[in-house]
Amino acid sequence: MEKRPIGRFAPTPSGRMHLGNVFAALLSWLSPKSQGGGWILRMEDLDTLRTRAEYAELLRDDLRWLGLHWDEETQPQSQRSAVYDRYFEQLRDLGLLYPCYCTRSQLHNVNAPHLSDGTYVYPGTCRDLSPEAQKAFGRAPAWRLRVPDRVWQLTDLAQGEFVQNLATDCGDFVVRRADGVYVYQLAVTVDDGEAGVTEVVRGMDLLSSAPRQMYLQELFGFSHPEYGHVPMLLAPDGRRLSKRDRDLDLGELRKR
Ligand code: GLU
């Protein structure tokens, strides 16, 4: 039997939605709804310094105002670290994690190509450190996931064929930061997987994240959703719209 399509909108409540967010929300709603499916809302508030409950409330209010009603709101990411711990332990038990002590500036000084989202190809500096060398750092490490030398391929609903080899295009990636906060890639995979999401429609800026999420889905035993990465709206000067710059935000648009 075909699974009932489940889509989702997973905003970061770090400001008022702008027109670009609305565009992505609308398409993520339309796709499952046009097939008799469901639409889930999830607040991605892992970054507790940048996100605020007031913004989450405004987001809900704006979605209601637009007539985009969600079937369920799943638990916000800030409340799920115990759940992420369990998945983190699975990766550790598989022997796929190692502690990384590289500083941000070390990583940026590495002369390596990077993905469109600003990710540097990690050169594997901490991959094979001895336990003594690890201890010598005397501070809490970030945790990286080893990636296989293998090509990931997806047929994006909006962008067509997309191919990435995590080993050469991304390198081993961080799943938990040194301060204990889980990263987006792990949280989003766990949340979408547990909620039974079958299609992920979101901004084009996240296309290069899809293979990392597909790798994690495989390790956690979730099926791959369909992906659709939609164009980003631009400001008149060619910049991407941003919440920080308060570009065409819903506050302004609703006033008009
Ligand atoms: N939270 C991300 C954002 O607001 C979206 C993540 C996703 O859809 O996977 O840009």
Side-chain angles (χ1 to χ4, degrees), residues 8-14 21 42-45 50 77 184-185 188-189 192 200-203 205-206 209 213 227 229 232 240 243:
R8 51 50 144 200
F9 181 49
T12 302
S14 60
N21 302 134
R42 176 178 73 238
M43 294 298 162
E44 300 215 314
D45 56 355
R50 227 161 40 92
Q77 292 184 330
Y184 159 74
Q185 306 293 353
V188 82
T189 305
D192 284 343
V200 169
V201 175
R202 60 186 175 194
D205 56 333
L206 291 167
S209 287
Q213 293 167 21
Y227 285 103
H229 289 87
M232 315 290 291
R240 262 171 38 189
K243 286 185 184 129

Side-chain angles (χ1 to χ4, degrees), residues 87-139:
Y87 287 88
F88 178 81
E89 274 149 30
Q90 278 186 36
L91 299 176
R92 195 161 55 193
D93 293 347
L94 289 168
L96 290 171
L97 296 182
Y98 61 87
C100 171
Y101 299 86
C102 294
T103 60
R104 197 179 282 261
S105 63
Q106 267 172 321
L107 295 173
H108 281 243
N109 286 334
V110 173
N111 198 7
H114 56 276
L115 297 174
S116 58
D117 63 4
T119 308
Y120 288 76
V121 175
Y122 183 64
T125 319
C126 293
R127 203 175 222 238
D128 299 308
L129 290 181
S130 65
E132 296 74 41
Q134 291 171 351
K135 232 173 135 195
F137 282 98
R139 56 184 157 87

